[in-house]
Amino acid sequence: NAGVTQTPKFRVLKTGQSMTLLCAQDMNHEYMYWYRQDPGMGLRLIHYSVGEGTTAKGEVPDGYNVSRLKKQNFLLGLESAAPSQTSVYFCASSFFAGVHDGARQTIDPRETQYFGPGTRLLVL
Amino acid sequence: QQQVKQSPQSLIVQKGGISIINCAYENTAFDYFPWYQQFPGKGPALLIAIRPDVSEKKEGRFTISFNKSAKQFSLHIMDSQPGDSATYFCAASIEGSQGNLIFGKGTKLSVKP
């Protein structure tokens, strides 16, 4: 398994340009998340998805849009990039159910969150 | 309003020493408190986590101490090694939040040989 992968690894944009960040996971996870990480700020949740075709806002959603057309992919879009969106973006995925000894078990998705390697975005 | 306050921002410890990172929270609805470890250029990875029904959890050299009445929890790294040098984030979460985590601002740990 490749786990959680992110494309691209690094990108430079000019103010006003648009772009899409791709997150892909091959673990059949139901939940996916987009975070941004800024120096001295920790990680802040932008948007998340609890399943194919569903999305929800996180702590800092303004200026971003997301889509989850396929279970394995979660796209983060910037329609008109601003310098304030210069950041490192991390995608994560998690699951809430599994099979143990032949029985289906509910798992807390907070315990199973796996992060990708990040996308560094610079907006000039 | 910062929901999870983490200190210190940076920490330098000698090899073999004990590293201690502290976090405090306000929301009593939080019921899951993980610590994440992040190496440069990598994504965060879950290190250890605790729930409020226990006061301490230990995994190898890593221990979480939890004080429910004080609304504080801390990470202790015993016998710190240069390989432990990384940024550590505490986080908190509410049951039913669909996996949403509220992170502290992080602590950069450097372990000197």
Side-chain angles (χ1 to χ4, degrees), chain B residues 63-77:
Chain B
T63 299
I64 300 178
S65 296
F66 186 82
N67 187 329
K68 189 174 182 178
S69 60
K71 292 186 284 187
Q72 295 175 348
F73 58 109
S74 60
L75 176 69
H76 296 236
I77 305 175

Side-chain angles (χ1 to χ4, degrees), chain A residues 1-6 22-27 29 31-37 42-47 88-95 109-119, chain B residues 32 34-39 41-47 89-91 99-104:
Chain A
N1 286 352
V4 180
T5 58
Q6 293 184 232
L22 170 64
C23 175
Q25 52 93 6
D26 60 0
M27 299 174 284
H29 287 179
Y31 293 0
M32 296 187 75
Y33 314 84
W34 275 108
Y35 291 89
R36 60 177 289 173
Q37 183 178 33
L43 289 96
R44 293 179 291 170
L45 183 65
I46 305 172
H47 286 279
V88 181
Y89 292 86
F90 287 99
C91 175
S93 69
S94 66
F95 61 98
R110 298 173 296 177
E111 299 177 0
T112 62
Q113 201 158 132
Y114 294 87
F115 282 80
T119 292
Chain B
Y32 177 71
W35 284 90
Y36 278 79
Q37 181 187 55
Q38 184 182 31
F39 293 105
K42 304 292 185 182
L46 179 63
L47 183 63
F89 294 95
C90 63
N100 290 355
L101 298 171
I102 307 297
F103 284 87

